[in-house]
Amino acid sequence: MTQQLPPAGPAAEPAVQDVAPAAVSVASQWRLMWWRFRKHKLALAGLVVTATLYLVAVFAGFLAPYDSSHLDPEYTYAPPQRLHVVDTSDGWDWGLYVNGYTAEQDPETLEIRFEVDEDTKVPVELFARGPSYTLFGLIETNIHVIGPADPDGPPMYLLGADRLGRDQLSRIIHGTRVSMSVGLVGVAVAFVLGVTLGGVSGYLGGKVDTVIQRMVEFFMSLPTLPLWLGLAAAVPTDWGPLARYFMITVVLSFVAWTSLAREVRGRFLSLREEDFVMAAKLDGVGRRAIIFSHMLPSFTSHLIATLTLSIPAMILAETALSFLGLGLQPPVVSWGVLLQEAQQIRVISTAPWLLLPGLAVVVAVLSLNFMGDGLRDAADPYRR
Amino acid sequence: MAAFIARRFLYMVPTVFLISLVAFVIIQLPPGDYLTTLMAQYASQGESLDQAQLDAMNERYGLDQPFFVQYWKWISGIMFHLDFGQSFEWSQSVSGLLADRLPLTMALAGLTLLLTWFVAVPLGVFSAVKQYSIGDYVATTIGFLGLATPNFLLALVMLWVAFSTFGLSVGEANPVTFAIAILVLGTAGTAGLIRILRANLLDELRKPYVVAARAQGLPEGRLLVKYPLRVAMNPFFSTIGWLLPSLVGGEVIVATVMNLNTVGPLLLGALRSQDMYLAGSIILILGVLTVLGTLISDIALAWLDPRVRLRYR
Amino acid sequence: MTAHRDDTGRGVGVVAGLDSPAPADPRQVGRELAASGTILRIDGLRTYFHTDESVVKAVDGVSLDVPRGRTICVVGESGCGKSITARSVLGLVDAPGRIEAGHLWWHPDPEAPAVDLAALDPHGAEIRQVRGGQIGMVFQEPMASLSPMYSIGDQLVQAIRLHRPVSAAEAKELAIAQLARVGIPQPERRFDSYSFQLSGGMCQRVMIAIALSCDPALLIADEPTTALDVTTQARILDLIAQLQDETGMSVMFITHDLGVVAEIADDVTVMYLGTVAEQGSVTDIFDRPEHPYTRALLESVPTLGQARSERLAAIAGMVPSPDDRPTGCPFHTRCPSVMPGLCDVTPPAVRQVGDRHEAACHLHDPDVERPPVPAAPAPNTATLTGAEDRSPAVAPDEAEPLLSVRGLRMTFPVKKGFFGRTVGHVQAVDDVDLDIRPGETLGLVGESGCGKTTLGRCIARALDPTAGTIRYRDPRGGAEVDLAQLEANQLRPYREHIRVIFQDPFGSLNPRKTLLQLIAEPLRHIRSERVDSSIEDRVAAMLRRVGLRPEFMRRYPHAFSGGQRQRINIARALITNPRLVIADEAVSALDVSIRAQILNLLSDLQDEYQLTYLFISHDLSVVEHICDRVAVMYLGRIVEQAETEEVFQRPGHPYTEALLSAVPVPDPHLRGAGRRIRLADDLPDPANPPSGCPFHTRCPHRRAERCADERPLLQLSPTGSSEHLAACHYADELSLAGVADPLS
């Protein structure tokens, strides 16, 4: 085995053997991480679902049959319709349609009850014309992936309608935008705060470190939810939706940055002791280059995992705040805002589909958690 | 040990001071001061305050004086007379309102804590010891679902089930809603604890001292309880610190959904109507509770873990 | 030892496939074992680890006999399966590991039938009776093997009460007696101590006390001294031997250190890649090794007292990973006597090569037409550089020192509490004077915590020393500078003159950089060169020079083994063409065969590049082998400094004498030779060092006057040459013993 090797200098020891296959040998950290992550089936599923959700958020206008404010008071609490793919009413044939409704008024309570009418058909088509919207904020169009063939005819409620006859499906799809982005923006704010303060604390050490650590400890000792509530309530009600949205994310990140700062500081402290950092110092690498080319790359993967895992908490918090009416306010649509409709048990028992935005929350949070766990496990591919 | 506790008490002082400051800032945050709000309210009811009353108010809260004077008036009232101020919405003293609500809140929190522990400990231990068994997967799934489901959603679903299947009357407090509230509140805590306990126990089970104890011939059950579990329980005691306030916090939402007569809905109502003295006081109390909880768990840790205890001696 | 096995046709290599050997009758086995004086027979043991990707055959057909009342050493490099074998005996293999086949015949009572431990339920009551009750076990990491949650007394009492029907009070008395028996001072007080309050040596004593608390018939010791200092190791080995004398127990001792084997073993089993390579009595193994692996192992170890100029015989290559086991003989990939077509195809059978001496090698196969065995069994002993070249390039007395350290101090504050108040100071380096001469190799030795690494890092200016000067003069011209005074920017040009090779081959290479980036880093940053093809060429040449292929340049460190990474570290240190290289425990983390390769490489490079080495190590045999002069450190101070031969033959300080006497010599014939000096286990608290001579608390030659209150200075020792310095008040009165001469 060793004889085949080229002679390696006068005093060469034939010690060279390949310990790893070539592909592994030249694989960078991110490739190794991906290989490890890939083995984690749940995490992979989480990644797919999360990616899908963000795609839905981007293409919300195209995917939703209606826009978020479309209402039709004639169809209060209309139940979900089943989408038929095959038309058997007249022999066997392909054909997309939903059944229409029959409305009945309760003689005593005057409540209107809808029944799905098996006999009427509302034709549905793919790439239907509907309300116009702008894709990516640039392209104005009115094509939706699915919608009733006749935009002025009877409406289509695949997931039912709410108190004002608004389409749940469209509103959940539109809500994806705010709900999923609140986490991202909040985490971004927390990231800036956490990494800066944690990095300063961990790298400088000494008095600065002590002060920042006490600060972090103080913030961690505050009760999260009441603080959120208090701060959210203090956001003036007359602010525009955008300003309010931004303030809420700031409020949310107010709590999240502390754990990030701790993580960053801990990593910095342990990395400072690592031999390879010492070696880089002795190689003449300057302070800034050590931080940016040796230390930061060593924990960016951990940081990404931690960030991913803190997004779900933000989504849950936004949902709770909005549900209580302290977070985002209509006409902004988020899953929490949608759930405001479902505060009464009586309402829920008439229209259980009003809880569906909650299901969206659970799915989003679950998949982000799975993905984050997988990332965390894969974050250090060099662990021995 | 006594010195350790004394020192921890001393460390509490600056934290509590900062918390009170934050609470007071929140009181001050809404635009306009207390008096304006109060006058607006009276005006909306078609009444008006006379100047004497206004002056008395000004004197009482130091409203025309700088921030720190106002703060001092507020905090000294609390410290020396337990006077948290006046809730204008309820036209009642904040302390009286809280005294009404606190017992039920505490009962709810305490019972939830017990439920959490009784469910989470066996499940977490089982899950770690029988890693990758069906039971482990069930427990892990409960853990994940519990963490992913918003409390209020769970409360709504359970109430809905109780309402539609068992014909439960909704809208008033009764033992069943109370039980549901405990169950709902317990779920999130249980889920978190199962995950923490499982991860810690798995770590501990790989430590050399476990193999060494096994090599002495210790039976597996005793080994587990005496060695790794005791270490793995450490974070468990740390949970006392954050469990209490997070229970009260989670309770805000759940109790609102369930119409329970606890502090939570009071805080929410106060925040919505900008009844800031009430809201600030509740936030202050919750903050102090958190700090106290952390203190208790620190002392418990020091008492249980010789490493902590001896380091501080 | 195992003659019966050939009679029945069973043997290590013969067992084919995975099926266990034929079921045996416990009574029959019991009679056989009683006749051969065996207390434990491991027969065809296979322990496999099942992972998702593969099956790792950690132990693959091991057979050995533990003789009653005697000591058997199982020796091998890391990954050879020796620890797994030991754990398999007590059913302590962690999932996903499993005993697949084989018998573990346990026979404590010569009259009774033997018990097959492998057949017992690993969670059952029967094996629990054996664990702790009949077989005691101690582990490698004493500190981690004790629970931090209970006092050592509690843990000892528990072990006693598990197997003996005594009350709690009686158990406590027994426990205290047991602590006293293993040499723990003030056992009543220590009873309530916790593991983290004790030193590693003390913890290992407690572990031994626990393991022996129920008078087991067999003690399994799994590398019990590997994590300990050499002085502590000597005391622990003494303790085990003394307890064995008292109780007549058998000992199965797992180790990688051939010195320890020579010191304590009656019988030896040499393992390689999960199989037995050779077994026999300790004299057979050391005097008449029959397996090429055993021979190579013995030759790759530097021995105290051995002539320094000899080049070590390294074993080529490295141990293959157990999940990529070579076909045929597991050693054929590295064997100097490999016979192609046979060794790489057929696993060798275990054969008798002498009385109670057997080896698994085709060379002993009578049917094999074998090529003449090379006279020198190791392949790489060609002395490429003559022994005479190993002397310093410049005669020591005339040359100006390359580096001259005066009054160097490094103080670390001890911080505590909420606001990080400084409550004390540790003098890690305390008033050190040291000269390093151009072209020499200066060894720096001492127990862990003596400050040798800190001193090295101060000289490299990885740390900023608190006080003192480090005068450096570039031998290739240039003015003298005081490195201790230079600011970071002024220091930069000198960073290429003084380079460091770190101990940990894994932690010292940033896993996120390719070899090219790592090795070129000093060029880019110290010299601000751009990465271009000329740098690549230089990196390639350097890689080739240290024995790696240039095309590895684009690979990441994770693709390399420990030994290879140490070569990368050397390449990175030498790429700047340095004057002084500080090798900080550079070979301590490596297996013996790899260590020899790296030591040889360092020697070759020194000659080629006229390097000066500061060689920091706790391993005195390696230091004696490679160093021209030696400095001995204790508690931050240098207590002795002289030429290597002086220090090793005529030590001038009692501490040096004690260190030397503690080093186990890999020669069973020298067992018990030389003076046995045993130091107390505990190093004094470095934050609160003893007054006067720092060593007086442990010194066997301590005298009433001066030692406790007057600090001795480094002064010429009249016993040796003019270069011999020692810091002892009575250096001229004491007659201290050096290393025993192997020839005498």
Side-chain angles (χ1 to χ4, degrees), chain C residues 523-543:
Chain C
L523 298 180
R524 284 174 47 223
H525 289 276
I526 301 178
R527 299 196 187 156
S528 312
E529 292 182 35
R530 287 184 186 286
V531 181
D532 54 20
S533 56
S534 92
I535 281 203
E536 279 187 27
D537 290 347
R538 267 185 288 168
V539 170
M542 188 45 81
L543 279 176

Side-chain angles (χ1 to χ4, degrees), chain B residues 199-218:
Chain B
N200 281 318
L201 198 53
L202 280 177
D203 271 358
E204 286 301 320
L205 284 171
R206 293 194 197 103
K207 296 260 171 86
Y209 70 82
V210 176
V211 184
R214 198 172 284 142
Q216 293 168 23
L218 208 62

Side-chain angles (χ1 to χ4, degrees), chain A residues 4 16 36-37 108 128 135 137 190 204 225-226 320 367:
Chain A
Q4 301 142 8
V16 185
R36 257 177 98 123
F37 183 84
E108 287 170 35
L135 197 59
L204 294 181
L225 207 97
S367 53

Side-chain angles (χ1 to χ4, degrees), chain A residues 147-229:
Chain A
D150 175 13
D152 302 319
M156 173 188 79
Y157 294 123
L158 291 180
L159 296 181
D162 70 359
R163 179 169 48 92
L164 297 175
R166 290 176 291 199
D167 177 29
Q168 276 288 94
L169 174 67
S170 303
R171 282 168 65 82
I172 291 176
I173 288 176
H174 284 287
T176 312
R177 289 193 154 167
V178 170
S179 288
M180 293 299 283
S181 67
V182 155
L184 277 190
V185 178
V187 159
V189 177
F191 174 82
V192 173
L193 270 174
V195 172
T196 320
L197 287 171
V200 166
S201 184
Y203 193 78
L204 294 181
K207 292 266 178 298
V208 182
D209 180 35
T210 313
V211 169
I212 294 179
Q213 279 321 294
R214 297 299 147 241
M215 209 161 92
V216 167
E217 268 165 34
F218 167 68
F219 272 99
M220 286 185 133
S221 71
L222 292 176
T224 315
L225 207 97
L227 188 72
W228 271 338
L229 291 176

